[in-house]
Amino acid sequence: MDLNDQKMLADYLKRGGSMKILCEMDESALETVYNYAFQLFENGQLNEAHRLFYFLANMDQWNFDYLLALGICCQKMGEHEQAIYCFSRSGQRELSDPRSSYYAGLSYQCLGNKQYARKAFNAAVQWCSDKPEYQDLKLKISAALARTMLEI
């Protein structure tokens, strides 16, 4: 790849293009990789799962699930700064989904940043609103928020 090709690729990616589109990746192939990565994650093979989630998030940087999964994997590995970065990106993709904010709050809490943890939990509670699919999560978030309030 010559310098001109590199510049064209960099420009394409800066404008929001994805490797998935550029490589004409089949969505079902990426979904298969995602499912395998999820199995690895559930079996405690975090390093292997991380590599695959990282690959997926870079192939399709617009996919909420890939970014959220990468963030959760980073969080489990104790890489909280990287996890927060992933959650901020996933939160930008799905503004009304409270999970990104909730998980970011957990990482902020682990880093000892109670102020940002509270902000993230408060935002997540608001995004849960009265949506039935998030009521169980809302209870977890409220409990996490209460714990941060006790740690003042």
Side-chain angles (χ1 to χ4, degrees):
M1 181 182 288
D2 68 16
L3 188 56
N4 192 39
D5 290 339
Q6 290 175 4
K7 287 180 182 179
M8 286 175 48
L9 177 60
D11 186 51
Y12 169 77
L13 294 172
K14 283 180 189 175
R15 289 185 320 221
S18 74
M19 292 300 295
K20 175 184 131 183
I21 294 170
L22 188 64
C23 297
E24 298 178 4
M25 289 289 294
D26 180 30
E27 189 66 39
S28 65
L30 293 176
E31 199 59 31
T32 299
V33 174
Y34 176 79
N35 290 332
Y36 181 60
F38 193 78
Q39 286 177 347
L40 291 170
F41 177 83
E42 285 187 323
N43 289 324
Q45 296 173 280
L46 298 179
N47 289 328
E48 294 82 359
H50 181 268
R51 279 192 283 277
L52 292 176
F53 288 138
Y54 184 83
F55 164 78
L56 290 166
N58 283 287
M59 285 301 289
D60 186 1
Q61 75 269 23
W62 298 104
N63 188 298
F64 170 81
D65 293 321
Y66 299 166
L67 291 165
L68 185 69
L70 178 59
I72 294 170
C73 192
C74 289
Q75 189 175 67
K76 286 279 190 188
M77 296 171 73
E79 298 173 4
H80 294 288
E81 291 91 356
Q82 187 64 36
I84 291 167
Y85 174 74
C86 293
F87 298 138
S88 71
R89 289 179 60 206
S90 66
Q92 292 170 348
R93 305 306 184 258
E94 292 287 336
L95 295 173
S96 63
D97 192 309
R99 293 176 292 170
S100 297
S101 190
Y102 166 65
Y103 285 113
L106 294 177
S107 281
Y108 280 123
Q109 201 171 32
C110 288
L111 292 172
N113 190 336
K114 292 166 186 47
Q115 179 184 6
Y116 276 49
R118 283 187 209 107
K119 287 180 181 186
F121 293 144
N122 279 320
V125 166
Q126 289 178 2
W127 283 319
C128 285
S129 175
D130 292 330
K131 297 174 189 168
E133 66 270 27
Y134 293 127
Q135 293 314 296
D136 289 340
L137 180 60
K138 189 174 184 178
L139 293 173
K140 285 183 182 180
I141 298 166
S142 297
L145 183 57
R147 283 192 301 275
T148 65
M149 299 307 281
L150 294 174
E151 299 171 353
I152 295 177

